[in-house]
Amino acid sequence: MAKMYGGQQRAQMQAPSNPLAIKTKKYGLEKNKYVGLCMRQLFSNQWKWAFIPLVLLGVNVFLNLSGTYKNYWIYIFLAIGVVGYILFWLIQFTGITQLAQYKQLFDKYRYEIDSRQIFMKISEKEGGILKWDMILSAYKDKQAYILEMGKYQFLYLPFSIFSDNDRKLMDKIMRDKGFYA
């Protein structure tokens, strides 16, 4: 039974377990890993904006070398702007890890994954279901599967929580869903 406000309790309905589903070990996302993945997603989404400071820098170098307009403050301003922008986002993502309402992002879950859904279990009686249509994109890096559900929302599933056969089955499910070839 799950406790609610005011001492009330309610039973959580559990979806029937699929005997052919991939069953993982318990895993909780580390806060530093979350910040790193968010920064990686930020850079991959906003890499085009890096051309603005580069163009400003190039124009200023040209103006300085041609003697048309000599100024050196723009170099300092650009460096402060770029570092400030990166620090702003780093502080935002680090702040999320400290807030109580985001605590569930870092709880330990056991996952049961099949071709219909991803079932996230906190315990044998409590959990939640993610349908595959909620996953916008997915990819596999050196250490994990990363399933993106939106801007800075993702599931990080390291290979260490899967058995070898389960990893092969997970690759097959990901290919069947069209996430990678």
Side-chain angles (χ1 to χ4, degrees):
M1 299 258 181
K3 291 191 177 185
M4 295 176 58
Y5 296 109
Q8 298 174 344
Q9 292 186 357
R10 70 179 168 107
Q12 297 252 340
M13 296 303 291
Q14 181 175 334
S17 184
N18 183 351
L20 301 176
I22 299 168
K23 292 182 172 86
T24 68
K25 299 174 190 170
K26 267 196 163 194
Y27 175 74
L29 182 62
E30 298 166 6
K31 293 178 180 184
N32 290 338
K33 189 60 147 173
Y34 173 78
V35 172
L37 288 169
C38 284
M39 290 301 288
R40 186 165 116 184
Q41 191 177 43
L42 175 78
F43 291 138
S44 69
N45 289 342
Q46 298 187 5
W47 65 269
K48 297 176 231 77
W49 295 103
F51 290 113
I52 291 174
L54 291 174
V55 167
L56 289 173
L57 190 68
V59 167
N60 193 55
V61 166
F62 174 74
L63 291 174
N64 278 338
L65 292 176
S66 68
T68 308
Y69 180 67
K70 292 198 181 275
N71 66 358
Y72 298 101
W73 63 268
I74 193 77
Y75 301 115
I76 297 168
F77 179 71
L78 284 174
I80 290 172
V82 169
V83 170
Y85 184 77
I86 292 170
L87 280 176
F88 170 78
W89 283 106
L90 188 62
I91 290 168
Q92 294 296 315
F93 296 137
T94 304
I96 286 174
T97 65
Q98 306 302 317
L99 295 174
Q101 64 257 37
Y102 293 102
K103 181 183 172 278
Q104 66 190 18
L105 283 174
F106 309 106
D107 284 343
K108 290 191 175 199
Y109 294 98
R110 238 185 61 233
Y111 298 92
E112 288 186 14
I113 303 167
D114 62 21
S115 61
R116 295 175 295 140
Q117 65 197 9
I118 301 169
F119 190 52
M120 301 169 54
K121 285 185 169 184
I122 295 172
S123 67
E124 287 303 315
K125 300 205 183 247
E126 294 179 305
I129 295 175
L130 288 173
K131 296 287 185 188
W132 278 104
D133 60 356
M134 295 174 69
I135 307 297
L136 301 177
S137 67
Y139 61 94
K140 181 175 159 181
D141 70 0
K142 295 176 192 170
Q143 301 171 345
Y145 297 102
I146 300 169
L147 311 174
E148 294 181 356
M149 297 179 287
K151 216 172 194 183
Y152 314 116
Q153 297 176 350
F154 48 82
L155 280 180
Y156 181 80
L157 303 171
F159 296 147
S160 61
I161 65 172
F162 294 96
S163 69
D164 288 337
N165 289 335
D166 286 344
R167 277 184 60 186
K168 291 175 186 173
L169 184 56
M170 183 68 175
D171 284 334
K172 182 182 180 327
I173 290 172
M174 299 279 272
R175 271 192 303 278
D176 290 347
K177 296 295 178 187
F179 290 122
Y180 55 81

